[in-house]
Amino acid sequence: MHDLTKAEKTRLGAFLLVTISALVLFSLWLVMERFVKETRIYHTEFSESVDGLVVGAEVRMSGVKVGRITSLNVHPTQVGVAVVYFEVGSDVPVKSDMTAVLSGGLNITGLKTVALSGGSDSASVLKNGSLIPSGSSQVQRIT
């Protein structure tokens, strides 16, 4: 093996500097995208089992990921009711006539998501922290 020439060392150093800088910038971009994006928090209440729904699971609207589950709790006064908190991007129009429905769970993984459905252009946008009524899931409609 031969010793590296000064030109080869310079090229190697420049390559490593550019590569490491690109990785650092990409990592910062990912972190900023996750933590700087403005979101709104909503919640819904399900009287069916939310088994398979986990913190971090997707919230979808028209099949597009618009948010994620942030918390799962048991209702403090209603037996058998689960309260699910989730965040969506502040640019997502969550309307007062929308419902939240459990979806998924019928696949191999058994993981569920929350789907926001319904809604009309004429309905008002829900305020941050509002309750979105739950709708019937596929499992509820079958049974």
Side-chain angles (χ1 to χ4, degrees):
M1 190 165 154
H2 72 285
D3 290 333
L4 295 176
T5 66
K6 187 173 181 178
E8 289 172 329
K9 288 179 183 178
T10 302
R11 283 194 302 265
L12 179 60
F15 172 77
L16 289 174
L17 183 64
V18 168
T19 302
I20 291 170
S21 297
L23 286 172
V24 167
L25 288 173
F26 180 70
S27 298
L28 285 173
W29 174 76
L30 283 177
V31 168
M32 296 301 286
E33 177 72 19
R34 168 97 176 172
F35 293 108
V36 174
K37 185 177 181 181
E38 289 187 38
T39 60
R40 289 181 292 190
I41 301 288
Y42 297 101
H43 65 283
T44 190
E45 299 173 349
F46 293 110
S47 56
E48 64 184 293
S49 173
V50 294
D51 189 30
L53 187 65
V54 296
V55 171
E58 294 180 351
V59 175
R60 296 183 159 268
M61 183 185 295
S62 299
V64 177
K65 180 182 176 187
V66 294
R68 68 180 189 88
I69 305 298
T70 58
S71 175
L72 300 164
N73 301 301
V74 174
H75 196 285
T77 59
Q78 297 179 30
V79 176
V81 175
V83 182
V84 178
Y85 289 87
F86 55 93
E87 64 183 11
V88 298
S90 60
D91 58 336
V92 176
V94 179
K95 301 291 190 143
S96 59
D97 55 351
M98 287 185 148
T99 58
V101 177
L102 282 175
S103 65
L106 301 175
N107 55 22
I108 293 173
T109 64
L111 295 178
K112 293 181 180 176
T113 61
V114 170
L116 300 177
S117 60
S120 61
D121 292 335
S122 61
S124 61
V125 175
L126 282 176
K127 294 180 182 176
N128 191 32
S130 296
L131 169 71
I132 298 175
S134 60
S136 298
S137 69
Q138 290 176 334
V139 172
Q140 277 185 322
R141 288 190 296 263
I142 292 172
T143 56

